[in-house]
Amino acid sequence: MALKKLGQSVLQVAPIGLGTMSLKGGATKQNTEVLRRAVELGVNYFDTADLYERGMNEDMIGQALTSVRDKVILATKVGNQWRSDGSTWDWKATKSYIIKAVEASLARLNTDYIDLYQLHGGTIEDPIDEIIEAFEQLVKEGKIRYYGLSSIRPNVIREYTEKSNIVSVMMQYNLLDRRPEVIYPLLEEKNISVISRGVLTQGLLIDKPIKDYLQLTSGEVGRAKRNVEKLATSLGISRTKLLLTWVLSHSVVDVAVIGVRTLAQLNDLKDVIDQPLVLSENDRAELEQGIRKLVYKEHL
C-alpha cells in the first residue's frame, strides 16, 4: 500500500488501518496471529482505546506488536474512566486525568511513546483549553508524538481545529452516513486528516439483512445496496473493496479503519490492500444515486 502523511504530522500511514476493538479476549493465539498478519500485509495503523476491555485490548497490542514497534503506528484513546465496580464508565476529560491515564496506556502498550493519542469523545462543555494543555504537555515530554480527536460533533471539532494542534479526527463515515462532510472543508483547509470508522455500514451493504440505518429506512438502505451490487459487478470487484474505495476517494480521508476477528476476514482484504482502486466521477455518481444525504441534527 502506498503510504499517506497523516495531516501535518510526519506519520506515514497505510490507507487501510486495523481497529482492534473486535479482537476480544486479550493476547490469544488467534488475535496475535491476526495482528502480525496485518503487519505482513502492509497495515501499519492500529487503533485501540484504554476503554476497550478495561485496558486488555491495549495490553494485547503491546504483547503482539513489540517486535515490530518501529514499523507500526499505535493510536489509542483517553477520556473515559471505568468505575471501580466495572459496571460502566464515566467521562473524565480533565488535564490531571489525561496526564495520569497515559502512563497506564504506555505500560500496557509496552512502549515509550504513543504515536497518536486521541480524545475519546468530547463535548462543548468540556474544559477544552485544559485538555489541550494536557496533550501539549505530553508531546513536549515525548510520551506522545501527536494528538487528535475521536468525535462526530461538529461544534467540538471546530473548537479543537481553531485552538489546538490536532492532526486527525476519527469519525464514522460511509456511503450511508455522509454527515461528516459538513466539517470536511474546514479540516482540509487546516490540513487535518480524517480517520474513518464504520466504513462497511455494519455489513448492511454487503451481506447482512437490510434494516433501517440511522435516519434511513430499510427501503433506502435496500436501494443503496442495489447500487453497490450493480457497480461492484460492473467493475469486477468485491462490495467491500468498493465501499472502502469510495470512503478513501475523499481527499481528506487518509485512513479507513476496519475491524476483523479472524485471519480469513483479514485475508479477504488482501486484494484491497495489494491493488487499490480509483473511482471515476461517474462511478461515484452511480454509487451515490438516490441515497438521501444525512445531516447532523445536534452539536452543530
Side-chain angles (χ1 to χ4, degrees):
M1 283 186 286
L3 302 181
K4 305 173 74 173
K5 190 162 75 72
L6 189 71
Q8 298 182 59
S9 76
V10 299
L11 301 177
Q12 296 289 323
V13 294
I16 304 296
L18 197 67
T20 63
M21 184 173 66
S22 56
L23 296 175
K24 307 289 188 182
T28 63
K29 182 175 183 292
Q30 176 173 296
N31 287 347
T32 299
E33 288 176 345
V34 167
L35 290 166
R36 292 178 178 171
R37 175 59 175 159
V39 176
E40 291 174 359
L41 291 176
V43 173
N44 74 343
Y45 180 93
F46 293 85
D47 187 90
T48 183
D50 59 5
L51 184 68
Y52 302 160
E53 294 191 282
R54 301 191 66 170
M56 190 186 300
N57 200 263
E58 287 183 326
D59 186 67
M60 169 192 69
I61 292 177
Q63 292 185 52
L65 299 181
T66 295
S67 63
V68 291
R69 178 64 185 95
D70 60 332
K71 298 179 181 178
V72 298
I73 292 169
L74 299 184
T76 192
K77 310 182 194 78
V78 66
N80 296 287
Q81 183 180 39
W82 279 99
R83 293 181 181 175
S84 57
D85 62 4
S87 61
T88 187
W89 59 86
D90 298 303
W91 183 235
K92 192 77 171 178
T94 64
K95 181 177 180 178
S96 60
Y97 178 71
I98 292 170
I99 296 298
K100 178 182 176 181
V102 75
E103 300 297 340
S105 286
L106 286 167
R108 288 189 292 260
L109 290 166
N110 195 24
T111 183
D112 295 327
Y113 63 94
I114 293 166
D115 296 291
L116 181 64
Y117 206 33
Q118 301 161 100
L119 185 66
H120 201 174
T123 72
I124 203 66
E125 290 80 23
D126 290 338
I128 292 176
D129 291 338
E130 177 184 319
I131 292 169
I132 294 170
E133 286 177 8
F135 284 116
E136 290 290 345
Q137 178 178 324
L138 294 177
V139 170
K140 289 177 181 176
E141 293 174 352
K143 294 177 180 178
I144 67 174
R145 297 178 70 187
Y146 301 97
Y147 62 99
L149 287 180
S150 177
S151 175
I152 62 170
R153 297 181 172 187
N155 58 355
V156 172
I157 295 169
R158 288 190 190 96
E159 282 293 300
Y160 282 91
T161 296
E162 295 301 325
K163 293 183 173 183
S164 76
N165 293 308
I166 59 170
V167 299
S168 62
V169 179
M170 171 177 267
M171 61 182 81
Q172 175 165 288
Y173 180 58
N174 58 52
L175 185 60
L176 297 179
D177 186 5
R178 298 174 60 188
R179 294 174 300 173
E181 290 178 1
V182 70
I183 202 74
Y184 281 4
L186 175 61
L187 297 180
E188 285 197 285
E189 176 189 337
K190 300 292 186 178
N191 192 19
I192 296 170
S193 291
V194 167
I195 299 168
S196 176
R197 59 175 176 81
V199 295
L200 299 182
T201 63
Q202 302 172 359
L204 293 178
L205 302 184
I206 300 175
D207 55 5
K208 294 293 191 299
I210 294 171
K211 64 178 182 179
D212 294 350
Y213 183 86
L214 298 175
Q215 303 154 31
L216 299 176
T217 66
S218 58
E220 291 175 303
V221 173
R223 185 181 305 117
K225 189 170 186 175
R226 289 190 291 275
N227 288 1
V228 173
E229 292 172 343
K230 180 180 177 182
L231 185 58
T233 299
S234 173
L235 296 174
I237 61 173
S238 69
R239 299 172 200 174
T240 296
K241 184 169 186 173
L242 180 57
L243 292 172
L244 282 167
T245 301
W246 181 88
V247 166
L248 289 167
S249 67
H250 199 297
S251 57
V252 76
V253 179
D254 284 330
V255 184
V257 172
I258 305 296
V260 301
R261 295 184 302 278
T262 66
L263 280 173
Q265 291 174 332
L266 181 61
N267 287 327
D268 284 343
L269 293 172
K270 190 174 185 304
D271 175 59
V272 182
I273 294 169
D274 290 346
Q275 298 178 337
L277 176 73
V278 176
L279 287 182
S280 69
E281 288 299 317
N282 287 339
D283 289 338
R284 284 186 62 92
E286 183 177 340
L287 196 56
E288 297 166 6
Q289 184 176 6
I291 303 175
R292 181 161 53 99
K293 189 173 178 180
L294 304 182
V295 295
Y296 288 120
K297 295 183 176 181
E298 299 177 325
H299 312 297
L300 298 175

